[in-house]
Amino acid sequence: MSTSGHPPTTIIGAGLVGSLLATLLAQRGLEVEVFERRPDPRRHGFQGGRSINLALAERGLAALRQAGLAEAVLQGAVMMRGRMVHAPDGTANLQRYGVDDSEVIRSVSRGGLNILLLDAAERAGAALHFDAALGDVDFDAGAITLAGPGGASRRHAAGVLLGCDGAGSALRAAMLRRTDLGERVEPLGHGYKELEIPPPPGGGFAIAPHALHIWPRGHYMCIALPNTEGNFTVTLFLPNHGPYPSFATLADVGVARAFFARQFPDALTLMPDFDDDWNAHPVGQLATLYLERWHLDGRALLLGDAAHAIVPFHGQGMNAGFEDAAMLAALLAEQPEDSAAVFAAFEARRKPDADAIAAMSLANYIEMRDGVSDPHYLLKRELAAALTERVPDRFMSRYRLVSFTTLPYADCVARERRQIALMESILDGHDSLESIDLEAAAERARASLPLLPSGT
Ligand code: FAD
Ligand code: 8RB
């Protein structure tokens, strides 16, 4: 029980979103208690051990800035200026993400980021409990059941429950036992496997460090993100089933190696531990989670992956979750006594954005694995660059809107739709920009696209 007489706000999960939310709420003077299933990564090392990198973009950075943590996070980050597209013939070509180096995404280590956020949460006054897995919830009594690693479980008085326990959320499961959240899980049908490109023997990076590398191959692809130690986390995305190639047809490491030798020969030569990595790392599954409701009146709310897990292809899962945390913290600090109103407002404001980033993430898989080398796509990119230069206050590519602004995701989708319609109409009957009057095209953009909010 807290000094106020209420039990403290109870956060389930001290992953990326839970630890940032705990920091933001504690900084605003709320009493916060956090329960995390895993042991404390600061004492036992990060589980999994391997370094996994995530792409941090403006939305995530803006939320970290509110917690006063952006500078510290950026210190351990590697800037990525664009996509380095590796063609089957071994040539590589950088497609910039932004107009200049102020528009870059950053590769950060998940383990390092989580530890930094846990330290910040504690500094702000949040109480963290590890080896404490949420089991059941007694919503009427306001009590939760927590289990330790040995399985022994205890009951604990809980306050308002905030579920930051990830895609497999135990709080969501408990809420579902009580009420219908309108849950729908759509598997992508593709899985992923993580591999690694270590630093070359003399140190440095084996491939260009300041880029997100993509090997697009039509129905599948590899990507690689750099980290500060000089290695790259490589991820193969591939259909689970179906005719060659799919994970089903690559069950044997020898077959997998032969597949890489044919499709990604340049990458394979940089992966000395390919066989061990292939055998040791399981195939991960990808799905989109949709819920019609994220809260149980004022008693429990889901956010982050627990509410809206998405496929990874826009690199926005963490960014969206951080944006959730910042929005919720602001709403709760405004109206701490009425969690039901806050949760309803949060859901109403945020649900359309969650649906929008879910859709854009699915669309970006097609673009990454296929579109990045398609001639019509490249022509559209050229036109987009010309319009960006001529009409910067109205035209901004979807990638830039999503990655370098905090314009709500749903507005990004609406703008993208108008821009695509305009560009398709301008390009109709042309196969190069040379035959297009770009000044007239810019005039059409000025006439048909709404002004971007100032500051975007
Ligand atoms: P998580 O980070 O999954 O945290 C959930 C926490 O809850 C965990 O600590 C877990 O141990 C704990 N927990 C689970 N069950 C219980 C329980 N019963 N009781 C108590 N605690 C529990 N996003 C990006 O924006 N950019 C990227 O480049 C990117 N790359 C990714 C790469 C990989 C390999 C993966 C898997 C994801 C990537 N994502 C990326 C997505 C991003 O990781 C997630 O969107 C983000 O971690 C969601 O944060 P979260 O706190 O909601 O969930
Ligand atoms: N989850 C990313 C982008 C967009 C890149 C572009 C894409 C790996 C799992 Cl697949 C992917 C992007 O359009 O050029 N920005 O950041 C991160 C991505 O994958 C991450 C590393 C990932 N996420 C399960 C695996």
Side-chain angles (χ1 to χ4, degrees):
M1 238 7 100
S2 77
T3 45
S4 63
H6 302 288
T9 301
T10 305
I11 297 179
I12 308 300
L16 298 178
V17 174
S19 52
L20 177 62
L21 181 64
T23 306
L24 289 166
L25 291 178
Q27 286 174 341
R28 282 162 177 73
L30 270 77
E31 220 175 315
V32 179
E33 208 170 21
V34 188
F35 296 97
E36 164 60 47
R37 179 174 62 185
R38 292 174 306 183
D40 188 342
R42 297 166 298 179
R43 298 169 50 140
H44 303 269
F46 204 73
Q47 242 184 29
R50 293 177 291 132
S51 87
I52 298 290
N53 301 313
L54 304 99
L56 174 67
E58 178 54 27
R59 290 166 203 275
L61 211 47
L64 291 169
R65 235 176 253 130
Q66 290 189 24
L69 298 172
E71 283 312 309
V73 171
L74 288 179
Q75 298 229 320
V78 183
M79 144 175 106
M80 299 185 288
R81 291 193 174 95
R83 321 174 154 148
M84 187 68 83
V85 179
H86 296 261
D89 68 5
T91 58
N93 174 39
L94 181 74
Q95 298 179 355
R96 257 191 187 277
Y97 287 136
V99 291
D100 57 37
D101 277 1
S102 71
E103 294 186 334
V104 297
I105 56 174
R106 323 270 176 167
S107 182
V108 297
S109 132
R110 177 192 296 272
L113 178 58
N114 206 160
I115 284 172
L116 184 148
L117 291 170
L118 293 171
D119 283 340
E122 260 175 4
R123 260 199 323 275
L128 309 183
H129 307 277
F130 294 91
D131 294 313
L134 179 75
D136 210 353
V137 180
D138 184 340
F139 290 104
D140 296 318
I144 56 178
T145 307
L146 299 164
S153 77
R154 59 196 162 99
R155 231 172 119 90
H156 186 88
V160 165
L161 288 163
L162 303 177
C164 305
D165 48 351
S169 171
L171 180 57
R172 189 176 74 237
M175 289 163 74
L176 281 166
R177 288 193 285 273
R178 167 87 185 214
T179 184
D180 177 15
L181 298 174
E183 182 188 56
R184 189 159 53 88
V185 176
E186 284 192 358
L188 179 67
H190 292 224
Y192 69 96
K193 192 175 282 266
E194 282 160 350
L195 302 162
E196 194 192 335
I197 295 179
F205 293 83
I207 50 178
H210 295 299
L212 189 156
H213 293 261
I214 310 180
W215 289 259
R217 296 294 182 265
H219 290 284
Y220 55 91
M221 66 178 185
C222 273
I223 65 163
L225 271 70
N227 75 22
T228 47
E229 269 75 64
N231 44 337
F232 287 81
T233 310
V234 177
T235 311
L236 167 69
F237 294 98
L238 191 71
N240 290 322
H241 300 288
Y244 189 78
S246 70
F247 278 114
T249 64
L250 300 183
D252 180 80
V253 67
V255 180
R257 174 177 270 285
F259 165 68
F260 265 74
R262 209 164 26 250
Q263 300 299 337
F264 310 108
D266 49 346
L268 181 62
T269 58
L270 303 174
M271 297 192 279
D273 301 327
F274 179 88
D275 290 16
D276 289 345
D277 284 347
W278 186 274
N279 286 326
H281 304 163
V283 175
Q285 288 308 316
L286 302 169
T288 308
L289 163 71
Y290 302 93
L291 297 178
E292 279 164 32
R293 282 165 294 279
W294 289 347
H295 69 109
L296 176 65
D297 47 59
R299 286 179 278 186
L301 171 75
L302 302 170
L303 65 159
D305 279 13
H308 49 70
I310 57 179
V311 298
F313 306 109
H314 232 302
Q316 285 289 316
M318 162 185 64
N319 287 282
F322 280 3
E323 221 174 29
D324 284 358
M327 182 186 287
L328 180 65
L331 291 170
L332 267 179
E334 258 170 47
Q335 228 181 328
E337 296 303 323
D338 195 351
S339 54
V342 165
F343 293 175
F346 175 78
E347 183 188 297
R349 293 240 314 251
R350 200 60 184 147
K351 238 319 245 159
D353 294 326
D355 292 339
I357 191 55
M360 290 191 286
S361 301
L362 284 161
N364 211 45
Y365 189 22
I366 315 288
E367 180 164 330
M368 286 181 76
R369 73 190 199 202
D370 187 35
V372 289
S373 39
D374 167 71
H376 183 69
Y377 171 78
L378 293 173
L379 182 61
K380 238 186 312 186
R381 261 187 77 93
E382 266 188 77
L383 176 59
L387 293 174
T388 300
E389 200 180 307
R390 288 169 175 78
V391 199
D393 55 346
R394 292 176 193 270
F395 189 95
M396 193 182 272
S397 70
R398 179 190 82 205
Y399 190 90
R400 289 178 64 222
L401 289 168
V402 168
S403 303
F404 307 131
T405 80
T406 53
L407 192 73
Y409 288 125
D411 297 0
C412 300
V413 167
R415 281 192 167 268
E416 157 87 342
R417 206 169 280 142
R418 299 173 82 145
Q419 293 180 164
I420 292 287
L422 174 69
M423 287 196 291
E424 292 297 0
S425 154
I426 292 171
L427 290 174
D428 191 27
H430 298 269
D431 54 15
S432 126
L433 285 197
E434 273 159 44
S435 53
I436 292 173
D437 179 347
L438 291 175
E439 276 319 311
E443 207 37 62
R444 286 181 64 185
R446 272 179 218 113
S448 66
L449 301 177
L451 271 175
L452 287 158
S454 60
T456 39

